[in-house]
Amino acid sequence: MQLSEFDFPFDPLLIAAHPSLPRDRARLLVLQPRDRSLAHRRVDKLPDLLQPGDLLVVNNTKVLAARVAGRKRPSGAEVEILFVKDLGDATWEVLIKGTFRPGQTIEMEAAASAVVVERGATRTTVRVECPIPFVQWLRQYGRMPLPPYLKRAPTDQDREWYQTLFAQHEGAIAAPTAGLHFTPELLSRLQQRGIGLTTVTLHVGVGTFKQVTVDQIEDHRMGAEWIEVGAEAVHAIEQVRATGGRIVAVGTTVVRALETAACVGGQIRPYRGETDIFMTPGFTFKVVDALLTNFHLPRTTLLMLVSALAGTEFLRQAYAEAVRERYRFYSYGDAMLIL
């Protein structure tokens, strides 16, 4: 398929700079691909849109406060580092703009520094020197890695806003944004309705946001991200399957985790490791029946995944409707439910 098929007209004024409060009051566009119908609801109506016996699967990754300000030595030029992945032995993969050479030092707050080890076209690594464990240092001095399209600096409020209720395992550089809509009150009402909940982990990394630069999307290669689908989640899914309930993925990261765990033999099994699965229209879903997701950027692998579930033309119609109705887009924006 052509990359241009995943473009759509868009008004940048629709990008949400801040979340809806309460979080479950965000708008919800409900898509029914079977009859190609659209309905306008709110996220807090989710218990009425699902059925007793359905199972919500959420991502329990936790966002690291991984954006850090620093200064190059000896020039003193200000730089910003995004710490992407802990490689062990005090070495991290990072994203950083500018010219750097191996051995160059970047000074950070509180006597911490990063020394460039590798600077290549596809990867940059640094060795961290820090008086305390570096993840602990990030929690204190790092800032939340808000997406650049928000065009504002992170605030202390973003430490709460940009973290889901399910956040447990640190390792993500971006939030699994569909999960941001849930509140304790909504979870309680879902439970009372007889809708189950289980968790998986996908640490959102650069693979999710890697730009598609090829004209034929089949030529794109995803970056690897770490996932875990545990035995408890597999058991919950099998039980729901046996009773005729639906598996409702909360976010594209959950879809990627579940479908990776079902790639071998077509039946879901516990899985722990990396995934570079890339879902495009024509993909056969083995686990996921429905999806709650935010509105995504054009020409992205996220939009391609959602198109695979909803249908490319129908999803294009849904996005056009969302633009007309002034839905709020992207990480802090509104959501859609594909049933």
Side-chain angles (χ1 to χ4, degrees):
M1 297 183 71
Q2 293 286 327
L3 179 60
S4 58
E5 297 180 56
F6 300 92
D7 214 342
F8 58 87
F10 178 70
D11 180 356
L13 294 176
L14 297 180
I15 297 174
H18 303 88
S20 298
L21 297 174
R23 302 303 296 270
D24 59 4
R25 299 299 174 88
R27 297 170 74 188
L28 181 67
L29 184 61
V30 182
L31 286 65
Q32 297 269 8
R34 283 180 293 276
D35 62 6
R36 298 176 72 86
S37 67
L38 299 171
H40 301 282
R41 299 288 187 267
R42 278 193 332 211
V43 173
D44 62 359
K45 301 301 181 186
L46 190 59
D48 302 324
L49 296 166
L50 301 179
Q51 299 296 325
D54 287 345
L55 178 70
L56 288 166
V57 186
V58 301
N59 187 355
N60 63 10
T61 189
K62 189 172 185 177
V63 183
L64 280 167
R67 183 186 287 186
V68 174
R71 289 183 179 273
K72 294 171 68 173
R73 288 292 175 241
S75 70
E78 294 183 354
V79 296
E80 187 173 78
I81 312 173
L82 181 61
F83 287 86
V84 172
K85 186 178 182 180
D86 184 355
L87 302 176
D89 295 326
T91 302
W92 284 72
E93 181 177 348
V94 302
L95 293 179
I96 190 168
K97 294 181 179 179
T99 302
F100 295 85
R101 65 182 186 279
Q104 183 144 33
T105 297
I106 303 165
E107 292 185 349
M108 303 178 292
E109 285 189 72
S113 63
V115 179
V116 177
V117 175
E118 174 189 3
R119 178 62 164 171
T122 58
R123 191 169 90 147
T124 301
T125 62
V126 299
R127 185 182 70 257
V128 173
E129 298 175 355
C130 189
I132 60 175
F134 188 60
V135 170
Q136 180 182 335
W137 186 95
L138 284 174
R139 293 183 193 126
Q140 185 171 353
Y141 297 104
R143 296 181 296 164
M144 294 302 277
L146 295 185
Y149 53 71
L150 292 187
K151 296 182 179 179
R152 66 172 179 84
T155 67
D156 287 341
Q157 287 176 305
D158 290 303
R159 287 181 174 269
E160 178 182 352
W161 288 346
Y162 202 57
Q163 207 76 270
T164 74
L165 287 180
F166 317 107
Q168 185 176 358
H169 302 296
E170 282 181 320
I173 62 167
T177 54
L180 295 177
H181 297 289
F182 287 81
T183 63
E185 294 76 17
L186 178 57
L187 289 177
S188 178
R189 290 175 51 232
L190 286 163
Q191 183 180 27
Q192 292 169 11
R193 173 81 165 148
I195 296 161
L197 184 132
T198 193
T199 63
V200 298
T201 306
L202 184 147
H203 290 320
V204 187
V206 294
T208 292
F209 305 104
K210 185 179 177 182
Q211 186 177 3
V212 182
T213 58
V214 293
D215 291 331
Q216 294 286 334
I217 65 170
E218 293 81 4
D219 295 332
H220 178 72
R221 296 293 176 266
M222 296 284 290
E225 293 168 307
W226 192 91
I227 68 170
E228 181 169 8
V229 178
E232 184 177 338
V234 170
H235 179 66
I237 289 167
E238 289 175 337
Q239 281 192 315
V240 168
R241 282 271 190 234
T243 57
R246 293 174 297 184
I247 307 303
V248 183
V250 178
T252 57
T253 59
V254 171
V255 178
R256 295 183 66 230
L258 294 180
E259 296 298 330
T260 296
C263 274
V264 180
Q267 189 170 358
I268 192 166
R269 293 282 187 268
Y271 180 89
R272 190 174 189 268
E274 291 190 328
T275 182
D276 61 358
I277 192 170
F278 179 30
M279 284 173 261
T280 61
F283 182 87
T284 300
F285 291 87
K286 304 174 183 67
V287 182
V288 173
D289 300 306
L291 171 64
L292 177 72
T293 186
N294 281 24
F295 293 93
H296 302 292
L297 290 165
R299 295 179 170 238
T300 58
T301 59
L302 302 169
L303 188 64
M304 294 166 193
L305 183 156
V306 180
S307 296
L309 190 65
T312 305
E313 185 56 38
F314 181 46
L315 188 67
R316 189 178 292 114
Q317 294 174 16
Y319 268 64
E321 175 79 358
V323 170
R324 279 194 301 270
E325 294 295 324
R326 311 301 290 176
Y327 274 66
R328 303 166 74 246
F329 273 62
Y330 308 151
S331 295
Y332 278 154
D334 297 319
M336 62 168 54
L337 176 64
I338 303 168
L339 294 173

